Amino acid sequence: PRCAESICQLVQEGCSEKTDSVYTDVLTSIGAAVLPHVIPLLDGEDGRGLSIAVLARIQHADAARALLGALHRADHGAKRVLVRAIAQHTDPAAAESILALALEDEDKGIRIIALRSLNRERHRSGQGRLLQRVQSSTLRIASEEEKDLLFDALGRVSDGDVVPYLKGLLKVGLLRRSRPQQWRRAAKSLARVATADAIAALERGSASRNDDLALICAESLREAGNRRR
């Protein structure tokens, strides 16, 4: 702890990127004992980057809470760094807070960073928030990239509870220009969920009289089969 206090004092006085990297390694190696000294650096210009880097590498609830608190106060530039850092935590409460804050942010870049992070980590607590997002009226104005990432994340973190909603998206009904893309996203999510009900929905879709729907579901069935091998 004394070593950590001395390093943090030096950081506040100004350090180079090279020394920051060394200090990050040293502080991280000490562990949770550095938190009382590192967390206060989040609120200052000097040392904020080092503090974020250290807190992201210390798997401790207090570190996650500190990063989440900083996310509430951060400007857009700092939010991008913070979302990436928080996403490294395995604390489900932290993951849920990432979704609550980042997925509703007005900055598309922040929303996409959060989704990419969720696609790398299987945060089960994110299922409800993602389902709420894909069902919202604002989805229609989202970019194609964001829509793809939303459905990818939903398929990765979800269990069978989302299957009824995804099955509903595979209905032919009245054709609209965007329907094949909707089918494709729903089918990929079902392939990632891969429960018996999800696979059965894809099998029914692959037997559809609509050629586009049948092809999309058949492709997703192959993807699901490849993942289980």
Side-chain angles (χ1 to χ4, degrees), residues 4 23 52 58 86 88 158 165 191-192 203 205:
Y23 289 157
I52 292 171
I58 295 178
I86 297 169
Q88 296 177 32
S158 300
Y165 169 73
R192 291 189 184 282
E203 289 173 342

PDB file of all heavy atoms in Angstrom, residues 4 23 52 58 86 88 158 165 191-192 203 205:
ATOM      1  N   ALA A   4       2.073   1.814  -3.412  1.00  0.00           N
ATOM      2  CA  ALA A   4       0.986   2.295  -4.268  1.00  0.00           C
ATOM      3  C   ALA A   4       0.741   3.778  -4.054  1.00  0.00           C
ATOM      4  O   ALA A   4       0.542   4.541  -5.006  1.00  0.00           O
ATOM      5  CB  ALA A   4      -0.290   1.500  -3.978  1.00  0.00           C
ATOM      6  N   TYR A  23       4.170   1.583 -14.138  1.00  0.00           N
ATOM      7  CA  TYR A  23       3.390   1.757 -12.913  1.00  0.00           C
ATOM      8  C   TYR A  23       2.114   0.919 -12.942  1.00  0.00           C
ATOM      9  O   TYR A  23       1.690   0.374 -11.916  1.00  0.00           O
ATOM     10  CB  TYR A  23       3.031   3.225 -12.711  1.00  0.00           C
ATOM     11  CG  TYR A  23       4.194   4.115 -12.344  1.00  0.00           C
ATOM     12  CD1 TYR A  23       4.151   5.478 -12.589  1.00  0.00           C
ATOM     13  CD2 TYR A  23       5.332   3.589 -11.730  1.00  0.00           C
ATOM     14  CE1 TYR A  23       5.214   6.302 -12.246  1.00  0.00           C
ATOM     15  CE2 TYR A  23       6.401   4.404 -11.388  1.00  0.00           C
ATOM     16  CZ  TYR A  23       6.338   5.767 -11.657  1.00  0.00           C
ATOM     17  OH  TYR A  23       7.393   6.572 -11.311  1.00  0.00           O
ATOM     18  N   ILE A  52      -7.777   3.920 -14.894  1.00  0.00           N
ATOM     19  CA  ILE A  52      -8.683   3.063 -15.669  1.00  0.00           C
ATOM     20  C   ILE A  52      -8.004   1.746 -16.027  1.00  0.00           C
ATOM     21  O   ILE A  52      -8.588   0.665 -15.905  1.00  0.00           O
ATOM     22  CB  ILE A  52      -9.154   3.794 -16.942  1.00  0.00           C
ATOM     23  CG1 ILE A  52     -10.067   4.966 -16.579  1.00  0.00           C
ATOM     24  CG2 ILE A  52      -9.886   2.832 -17.885  1.00  0.00           C
ATOM     25  CD1 ILE A  52     -10.412   5.861 -17.747  1.00  0.00           C
ATOM     26  N   ILE A  58      -7.913  -5.333 -12.288  1.00  0.00           N
ATOM     27  CA  ILE A  58      -8.120  -5.878 -10.947  1.00  0.00           C
ATOM     28  C   ILE A  58      -9.561  -6.357 -10.841  1.00  0.00           C
ATOM     29  O   ILE A  58     -10.497  -5.561 -10.841  1.00  0.00           O
ATOM     30  CB  ILE A  58      -7.816  -4.825  -9.863  1.00  0.00           C
ATOM     31  CG1 ILE A  58      -6.326  -4.455  -9.896  1.00  0.00           C
ATOM     32  CG2 ILE A  58      -8.192  -5.362  -8.476  1.00  0.00           C
ATOM     33  CD1 ILE A  58      -5.934  -3.392  -8.893  1.00  0.00           C
ATOM     34  N   ILE A  86     -14.667  -1.572 -18.406  1.00  0.00           N
ATOM     35  CA  ILE A  86     -15.680  -2.239 -17.588  1.00  0.00           C
ATOM     36  C   ILE A  86     -16.051  -3.595 -18.172  1.00  0.00           C
ATOM     37  O   ILE A  86     -16.317  -4.557 -17.449  1.00  0.00           O
ATOM     38  CB  ILE A  86     -16.929  -1.350 -17.461  1.00  0.00           C
ATOM     39  CG1 ILE A  86     -16.570  -0.051 -16.724  1.00  0.00           C
ATOM     40  CG2 ILE A  86     -18.039  -2.066 -16.702  1.00  0.00           C
ATOM     41  CD1 ILE A  86     -17.655   0.992 -16.778  1.00  0.00           C
ATOM     42  N   GLN A  88     -14.347  -5.808 -19.339  1.00  0.00           N
ATOM     43  CA  GLN A  88     -13.406  -6.873 -18.989  1.00  0.00           C
ATOM     44  C   GLN A  88     -13.759  -7.529 -17.662  1.00  0.00           C
ATOM     45  O   GLN A  88     -13.239  -8.584 -17.336  1.00  0.00           O
ATOM     46  CB  GLN A  88     -11.978  -6.316 -18.931  1.00  0.00           C
ATOM     47  CG  GLN A  88     -11.475  -5.796 -20.262  1.00  0.00           C
ATOM     48  CD  GLN A  88     -10.092  -5.199 -20.148  1.00  0.00           C
ATOM     49  OE1 GLN A  88      -9.276  -5.623 -19.338  1.00  0.00           O
ATOM     50  NE2 GLN A  88      -9.805  -4.209 -20.964  1.00  0.00           N
ATOM     51  N   SER A 158     -28.040 -15.044 -24.562  1.00  0.00           N
ATOM     52  CA  SER A 158     -29.393 -15.456 -24.201  1.00  0.00           C
ATOM     53  C   SER A 158     -29.538 -16.958 -24.046  1.00  0.00           C
ATOM     54  O   SER A 158     -28.711 -17.745 -24.504  1.00  0.00           O
ATOM     55  CB  SER A 158     -30.387 -14.961 -25.266  1.00  0.00           C
ATOM     56  OG  SER A 158     -30.349 -13.565 -25.371  1.00  0.00           O
ATOM     57  N   TYR A 165     -39.679 -14.820 -29.198  1.00  0.00           N
ATOM     58  CA  TYR A 165     -39.576 -13.546 -29.909  1.00  0.00           C
ATOM     59  C   TYR A 165     -38.862 -13.728 -31.242  1.00  0.00           C
ATOM     60  O   TYR A 165     -39.314 -13.215 -32.274  1.00  0.00           O
ATOM     61  CB  TYR A 165     -38.817 -12.526 -29.057  1.00  0.00           C
ATOM     62  CG  TYR A 165     -38.444 -11.281 -29.826  1.00  0.00           C
ATOM     63  CD1 TYR A 165     -39.412 -10.342 -30.176  1.00  0.00           C
ATOM     64  CD2 TYR A 165     -37.124 -11.053 -30.227  1.00  0.00           C
ATOM     65  CE1 TYR A 165     -39.076  -9.209 -30.906  1.00  0.00           C
ATOM     66  CE2 TYR A 165     -36.784  -9.922 -30.957  1.00  0.00           C
ATOM     67  CZ  TYR A 165     -37.760  -8.999 -31.289  1.00  0.00           C
ATOM     68  OH  TYR A 165     -37.432  -7.885 -32.014  1.00  0.00           O
ATOM     69  N   ALA A 191     -29.450 -19.628 -34.088  1.00  0.00           N
ATOM     70  CA  ALA A 191     -28.345 -20.585 -34.225  1.00  0.00           C
ATOM     71  C   ALA A 191     -27.378 -20.476 -33.061  1.00  0.00           C
ATOM     72  O   ALA A 191     -26.794 -21.477 -32.633  1.00  0.00           O
ATOM     73  CB  ALA A 191     -27.610 -20.336 -35.549  1.00  0.00           C
ATOM     74  N   ARG A 192     -27.200 -19.265 -32.521  1.00  0.00           N
ATOM     75  CA  ARG A 192     -26.305 -19.078 -31.376  1.00  0.00           C
ATOM     76  C   ARG A 192     -26.949 -19.579 -30.083  1.00  0.00           C
ATOM     77  O   ARG A 192     -26.277 -20.136 -29.224  1.00  0.00           O
ATOM     78  CB  ARG A 192     -25.909 -17.614 -31.244  1.00  0.00           C
ATOM     79  CG  ARG A 192     -25.013 -17.124 -32.362  1.00  0.00           C
ATOM     80  CD  ARG A 192     -24.475 -15.735 -32.065  1.00  0.00           C
ATOM     81  NE  ARG A 192     -23.685 -15.215 -33.171  1.00  0.00           N
ATOM     82  CZ  ARG A 192     -22.443 -15.559 -33.446  1.00  0.00           C
ATOM     83  NH1 ARG A 192     -21.839 -16.447 -32.678  1.00  0.00           N
ATOM     84  NH2 ARG A 192     -21.803 -15.027 -34.473  1.00  0.00           N
ATOM     85  N   GLU A 203     -35.463 -25.332 -38.405  1.00  0.00           N
ATOM     86  CA  GLU A 203     -35.847 -26.434 -39.296  1.00  0.00           C
ATOM     87  C   GLU A 203     -37.172 -26.131 -39.987  1.00  0.00           C
ATOM     88  O   GLU A 203     -37.338 -26.408 -41.178  1.00  0.00           O
ATOM     89  CB  GLU A 203     -35.934 -27.735 -38.489  1.00  0.00           C
ATOM     90  CG  GLU A 203     -34.556 -28.252 -38.064  1.00  0.00           C
ATOM     91  CD  GLU A 203     -34.649 -29.447 -37.134  1.00  0.00           C
ATOM     92  OE1 GLU A 203     -35.749 -29.653 -36.541  1.00  0.00           O
ATOM     93  OE2 GLU A 203     -33.639 -30.155 -36.960  1.00  0.00           O
ATOM     94  N   GLY A 205     -38.329 -23.152 -40.573  1.00  0.00           N
ATOM     95  CA  GLY A 205     -38.047 -22.081 -41.523  1.00  0.00           C
ATOM     96  C   GLY A 205     -37.381 -22.586 -42.784  1.00  0.00           C
ATOM     97  O   GLY A 205     -37.655 -22.100 -43.888  1.00  0.00           O
TER      98      GLY A 205
END
